[in-house]
């Protein structure tokens, strides 16, 4: 009866009858459907004619089947994997629950009768459909169809093969024809699993008795432990071969890179090997070239900050610095700036170590200190190439800083990075490098400091009430009046975020524009005056305050703010002591 009911239903006509869309919108969606091959419902959603949630609840009522919110439904990996991943992705379905006589299956399109028949054939049981959101379904598939079991099986297979004793390891891992070799298949599954969960790095670390494979997801490492420690040399050897490194050298660190394609995504892999106590470790940084370069509008800056940044980087000459610790997204931000500035009438040259993303029309130079191709030597040659804009990967020494500042003073826009905790302390660092005050005053346009913070998982976010210590800290930072309207969210943990409560990261920023007063302080070398003037600068908003703004909008948590607060050291000791004193008073009041 359900099948006959579904065969008769015409989603488009019903939506028109119920006044959800117009006839004209239906016709346009049908034309789009024919061109793109998408389902009609998806076409209507993408064209903006109906909200996805509204459409799902409408279909649920019309088909008389439940709508399941996957963000709140507890899924069992064992039950989900009863259906092969290929079929789940092909038909846009997921097994929700199992009964003795049937499988309850979440479907994006429950009217797809071919999918019904195929699912019944594969699962060999009656299918009871439920409606699910496509976006949530795809995220669930990515998290629950992990490659962990396959990786363990392949590791065991490779371990058994190496244990036989008569295996030629070099032949096993070097032949391009041996694509079915366990080591090749194991690496393939490692990359597939890493890309599926959005890992930025893969660590291969042989220990005394085990092999540890760790993936960094949203800045946090997740570990898999394998008993087959003997497979580590085979993995490292294969990675060295495809990176063009010296396979006979095991005593020295080596760096290389190679390209792979995983799930139709082009991944650029940077490999670093290092001799350790129990063999060689390898760390691979995964750069997804298919995702494209981030645009300034997608950097997470609010309208005011974005306007400030654009004003800085569209200046015809001068220096703009992006600062922060390692892994704070400085290079990504600069690539976003270059992406906007990259025009046919603008000559851009970059000096990088290493070149992370390839950009068309931009002349990118890879530093190689081994042959004397240093930042400073390349930068000198760059000035003879008639550039308009120069990007220097990092200000590492006095010579590089001085050349960059002089280039900025003589008609070039210079972009670079520096490792400092915040915008204000950047002046200290530049003076430590030996930069002259008059050069800084004449050349420096502005400083952008940034951090990456973890984002609250939208699949399990729920209101959060701070404890007494957190309340006291917030009242000290915000004041009583602002604290009263302060609302927070925290992730409870779900299958989407691997029970962490976080999914994804975003940037928080502070921007300091160098005005006349700040330039005068730099020219005199008066760092105390510079810090005082910077804190009172009208457009300046500290990183910590930007982080708290993100907490107030439910994007991140206080834990992430405390992490940032621990990294940022206020240059004003009196301010630190005052905050500590006020915090103690607040705590005493709350405990009393």
């Amino acid at each position: 009866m359900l099948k006959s009911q579904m065969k008769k239903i015409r989603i488009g006509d019903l939506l028109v009858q119920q006044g959800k869309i117009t006839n004209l919108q239906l016709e346009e969606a049908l034309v789009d459907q024919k061109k793109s091959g998408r389902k009609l419902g998806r076409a209507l959603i993408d064209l903006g004619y109906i909200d996805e949630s509204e459409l799902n609840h409408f279909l649920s009522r019309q088909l008389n089947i439940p709508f399941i919110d996957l963000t709140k439904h507890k899924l069992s990996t064992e039950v989900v994997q009863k259906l092969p991943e290929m079929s789940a992705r092909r038909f846009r379905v997921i097994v929700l629950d199992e009964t003795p006589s049937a499988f309850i299956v979440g479907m994006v399109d429950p009217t797809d009768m071919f999918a019904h028949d195929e699912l019944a054939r594969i699962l060999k049981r009656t299918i009871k459909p439920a409606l699910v959101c496509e976006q949530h379904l795809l995220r669930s598939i990515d998290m629950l169809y992990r490659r962990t079991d396959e990786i363990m099986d392949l590791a065991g297979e490779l371990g058994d093969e190496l244990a036989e004793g008569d295996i030629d390891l070099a032949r096993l891992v070097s032949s391009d024809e041996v694509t079915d070799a366990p080591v090749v298949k194991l690496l393939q599954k490692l990359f597939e699993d890493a890309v599926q969960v959005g890992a930025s790095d893969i660590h291969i670390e042989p220990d005394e008795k085990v092999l540890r494979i760790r993936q960094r997801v949203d800045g946090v490492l997740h570990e898999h432990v394998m008993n087959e420690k003997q497979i580590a040399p085979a993995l490292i050897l294969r990675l060295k071969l495809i990176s063009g490194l010296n396979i006979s050298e095991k005593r020295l660190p080596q760096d290389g890179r190679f390209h792979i394609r995983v799930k139709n995504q082009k991944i650029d892999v940077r490999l670093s090997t290092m001799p350790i106590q129990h063999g060689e470790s390898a760390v691979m940084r995964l750069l997804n070239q298919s995702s494209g370069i981030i645009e300034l509008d997608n950097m997470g800056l609010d309208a005011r900050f974005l306007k400030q940044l654009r004003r800085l980087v569209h200046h015809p000459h001068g220096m703009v610095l992006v600062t922060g610790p390692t892994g704070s997204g400085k290079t990504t931000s600069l690539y976003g700036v270059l992406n906007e500035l990259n025009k046919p009438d603008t000559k851009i040259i970059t000096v990088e170590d290493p070149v992370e993303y390839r950009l068309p029309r931009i002349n990118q130079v890879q530093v190689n200190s081994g042959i004397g191709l240093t930042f400073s030597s390349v930068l000198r040659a760059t000035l003879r190439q008639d550039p308009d804009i120069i990007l220097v990967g990092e200000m590492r020494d006095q010579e590089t800083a001085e050349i960059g500042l002089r280039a900025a003073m003589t008609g070039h826009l210079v972009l670079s990075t520096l490792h400092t905790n915040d915008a204000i302390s950047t002046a200290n660092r530049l003076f430590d490098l030996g930069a002259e005050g008059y050069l800084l005053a004449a050349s420096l346009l502005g400083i952008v400091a940034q951090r990456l913070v973890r984002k609250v998982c939208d699949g399990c976010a729920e209101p959060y009430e701070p404890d007494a210590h957190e309340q006291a800290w917030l009242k000290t930072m915000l004041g009583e009046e602002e604290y009263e309207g302060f609302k927070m969210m925290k992730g409870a943990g779900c299958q989407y975020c691997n029970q962490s409560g976080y999914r994804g990261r975003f940037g928080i920023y502070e921007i300091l524009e160098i005005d006349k007063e700040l330039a005068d302080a730099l020219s005199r070398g008066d760092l105390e005056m510079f810090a005082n003037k910077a804190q009172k600068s009208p457009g300046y908003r500290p990183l910590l305050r930007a982080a708290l703004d993100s907490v107030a909008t439910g994007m991140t948590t206080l834990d992430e703010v405390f992490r940032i607060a621990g990294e940022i050291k206020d240059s004003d000791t009196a301010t630190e002591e005052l905050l500590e004193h006020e915090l103690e008073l607040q705590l005493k009041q709350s405990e009393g």
Side-chain angles (χ1 to χ4, degrees):
M1 181 163 179
L2 182 61
K3 276 195 174 186
S4 61
Q5 180 185 355
M6 289 184 178
K7 284 178 181 176
K8 291 175 185 177
I9 196 168
R10 291 173 62 89
I11 296 173
D13 292 338
L14 280 171
L15 288 170
V16 172
Q17 288 172 17
Q18 297 292 323
K20 302 292 184 183
I21 60 172
T22 65
N23 275 311
L24 180 60
Q25 289 173 334
L26 175 58
E27 289 172 10
E28 290 178 0
L30 287 169
V31 171
D32 181 88
Q33 182 190 20
K34 288 179 182 178
K35 287 180 181 177
S36 63
R38 295 179 293 184
K39 299 287 186 183
L40 178 60
R42 176 48 53 187
L44 287 166
I45 292 166
D46 291 345
L47 289 169
Y49 295 152
I50 191 168
D51 178 77
E52 186 167 12
S53 175
E54 185 181 7
L55 177 61
N56 285 331
H57 285 95
F58 173 81
L59 288 174
S60 173
R61 290 192 301 270
Q62 293 297 324
L63 298 172
N64 196 27
I65 60 174
F67 171 70
I68 302 296
D69 184 350
L70 289 177
T71 64
K72 299 174 182 176
H73 187 82
K74 186 73 174 177
L75 292 169
S76 162
T77 303
E78 184 181 352
V79 172
V80 167
Q81 293 183 357
K82 297 274 187 180
L83 181 69
E85 182 184 0
M86 186 180 296
S87 299
R89 291 189 184 276
R90 178 187 175 191
F91 298 120
R92 293 290 195 265
V93 299
I94 191 166
V95 181
L96 301 172
D97 289 302
E98 179 182 14
T99 68
S101 59
F103 281 106
I104 301 169
V105 178
M107 306 181 71
V108 171
D109 181 10
T111 66
D112 187 342
M113 291 300 104
F114 178 72
H116 271 267
D117 294 339
E118 282 296 296
L119 292 173
R121 182 184 65 79
I122 295 168
L123 295 171
K124 296 180 174 57
R125 241 182 259 183
T126 302
I127 301 300
K128 291 185 177 179
L131 189 65
V132 295
C133 169
E134 183 173 18
Q135 179 187 2
H136 295 159
L137 173 118
L138 292 175
R139 280 168 52 182
S140 296
I141 288 175
D142 283 344
M143 294 306 299
L144 292 167
Y145 284 97
R146 294 290 301 274
R147 301 294 189 273
T148 308
D149 292 340
E150 295 174 72
I151 289 170
M152 292 299 186
D153 290 343
L154 286 167
E157 183 181 341
L158 179 58
D160 292 342
E161 198 161 335
L162 293 173
E164 291 176 8
D166 58 353
I167 298 296
D168 184 346
L169 184 59
R171 181 196 62 76
L172 176 68
V173 298
S174 65
S175 174
D176 291 333
E177 298 175 2
V178 190
T179 56
D180 289 334
V183 65
V184 178
K185 292 193 287 187
L186 177 55
L187 284 173
Q188 181 183 353
K189 294 301 178 187
L190 283 174
F191 285 123
E192 286 180 1
D193 188 58
V195 170
Q196 191 160 300
V197 297
S200 60
D201 302 84
I202 302 174
H203 297 233
I204 300 175
E205 303 168 340
D207 209 333
E208 182 178 3
K209 296 180 180 179
V210 297
L211 173 64
R212 302 182 192 279
I213 305 288
R214 300 201 278 179
Q215 299 173 333
R216 190 176 295 280
V217 181
D218 295 336
V220 178
L221 285 171
H222 300 268
E223 184 176 78
H224 298 285
V225 179
M226 301 178 180
N227 293 322
E228 297 81 7
K229 184 207 165 185
Q230 70 273 23
I231 70 175
L235 292 174
I236 303 296
L237 182 55
R238 180 70 190 186
L239 289 169
K240 282 184 175 180
L241 282 164
I242 58 182
S243 303
L245 301 181
N246 183 355
I247 62 173
S248 62
E249 180 57 78
K250 300 178 181 179
R251 301 164 301 169
L252 297 172
Q254 295 189 67
D255 295 313
R257 70 191 304 164
F258 57 93
H259 307 282
I260 57 172
R261 185 168 288 277
V262 180
K263 294 189 167 190
N264 296 320
Q265 298 182 55
K266 185 180 177 183
I267 308 296
D268 190 4
V269 183
R270 279 176 20 208
L271 172 70
S272 172
T273 67
M274 178 178 288
I276 58 175
Q277 186 177 7
H278 300 291
E280 277 186 287
S281 73
V283 175
M284 291 173 282
R285 168 65 55 87
L286 309 183
L287 301 168
N288 192 338
Q289 303 287 344
S290 302
S291 60
I293 303 300
I294 190 171
E295 296 182 357
L296 288 185
D297 291 320
N298 299 325
M299 278 175 54
L301 290 163
D302 66 28
R304 181 170 58 87
F305 280 8
L306 187 57
K307 186 178 179 181
Q308 281 182 283
L309 180 59
R310 282 203 164 106
R311 184 165 58 242
L312 289 176
V313 301
H314 282 281
H315 203 280
H317 57 83
M319 177 180 284
V320 178
L321 293 173
V322 180
T323 72
T326 301
S328 59
K330 300 185 297 295
T331 303
T332 301
S333 294
L334 282 179
Y335 273 116
V337 170
L338 287 186
N339 195 39
E340 178 159 314
L341 300 176
N342 188 8
K343 309 292 182 188
D345 60 354
T346 304
K347 171 90 169 187
I348 302 176
I349 300 177
T350 73
V351 187
E352 304 173 70
D353 183 23
V355 174
E356 293 196 3
Y357 292 93
R358 271 71 171 179
L359 295 170
R361 197 187 291 118
I362 293 179
N363 295 265
Q364 296 174 270
V365 182
Q366 168 78 54
V367 168
N368 186 346
S369 301
I371 59 172
L373 201 64
T374 62
F375 274 105
S376 55
S377 64
V378 176
L379 195 49
R380 280 197 206 90
T382 294
L383 294 173
R384 298 191 289 271
Q385 291 283 310
D386 188 30
D388 298 297
I389 299 171
I390 302 169
L391 183 146
V392 184
E394 184 185 345
M395 291 291 172
R396 294 187 177 181
D397 52 49
Q398 180 178 357
E399 190 176 11
T400 305
E402 187 170 327
I403 296 171
L405 287 166
R406 291 189 183 279
M409 194 168 62
T410 55
H412 305 87
L413 177 65
V414 179
L415 308 171
S416 189
T417 70
L418 204 61
H419 287 102
T420 59
N421 284 329
D422 56 17
I424 294 176
S425 62
T426 300
N428 304 49
R429 176 68 177 141
L430 288 168
F431 279 115
D432 287 344
L433 284 176
E436 297 288 348
Y438 76 92
L439 278 178
L440 291 174
S443 306
L444 194 59
L445 294 173
I447 305 164
V448 180
Q450 67 178 78
R451 293 290 190 282
L452 289 177
V453 296
R454 290 185 292 172
K455 186 178 181 182
V456 173
C457 174
D458 54 10
C460 59
E462 58 186 26
Y464 173 72
E465 186 66 31
D467 61 29
H469 288 73
E470 291 169 337
Q471 288 180 33
W473 189 84
L474 283 168
K475 288 175 182 176
T476 302
M477 297 301 296
L478 301 172
E480 289 282 350
E481 186 176 344
E482 190 173 349
Y483 172 75
E484 289 304 316
F486 203 79
K487 304 294 181 186
M488 288 176 284
M489 302 291 287
K490 195 165 189 176
C494 65
Q495 63 260 21
Y496 297 146
C497 59
N498 199 24
Q499 306 303 321
S500 69
Y502 299 96
R503 184 173 172 83
R505 291 189 294 175
F506 65 97
I508 59 166
Y509 307 86
E510 69 178 21
I511 298 180
L512 179 62
E513 292 187 75
I514 306 301
D515 57 18
K516 186 178 183 305
E517 289 188 338
L518 291 173
D520 287 344
L522 288 173
S523 181
R524 297 174 188 173
D526 191 335
L527 292 175
E528 185 177 351
M529 179 189 290
F530 179 83
N532 290 334
K533 296 289 185 184
Q535 287 168 356
K536 297 172 185 176
S537 180
Y540 175 69
R541 193 170 182 80
L543 267 175
L544 197 57
R545 187 59 215 236
L548 282 171
D549 289 344
S550 296
V551 173
T553 58
M555 291 184 68
T556 192
T557 65
L558 272 181
D559 290 339
E560 289 293 281
V561 175
F562 292 150
R563 179 175 62 82
I564 292 172
E567 292 176 356
I568 301 169
K569 295 179 181 178
D570 196 330
S571 58
D572 187 348
T573 307
T575 303
E576 282 186 355
E577 291 174 354
L578 178 62
L579 283 175
E580 288 176 8
H581 177 65
E582 290 184 2
L583 183 55
E584 285 177 10
L585 289 177
Q586 293 282 354
L587 286 172
K588 286 178 182 177
Q589 290 173 5
S590 63
E591 288 170 359

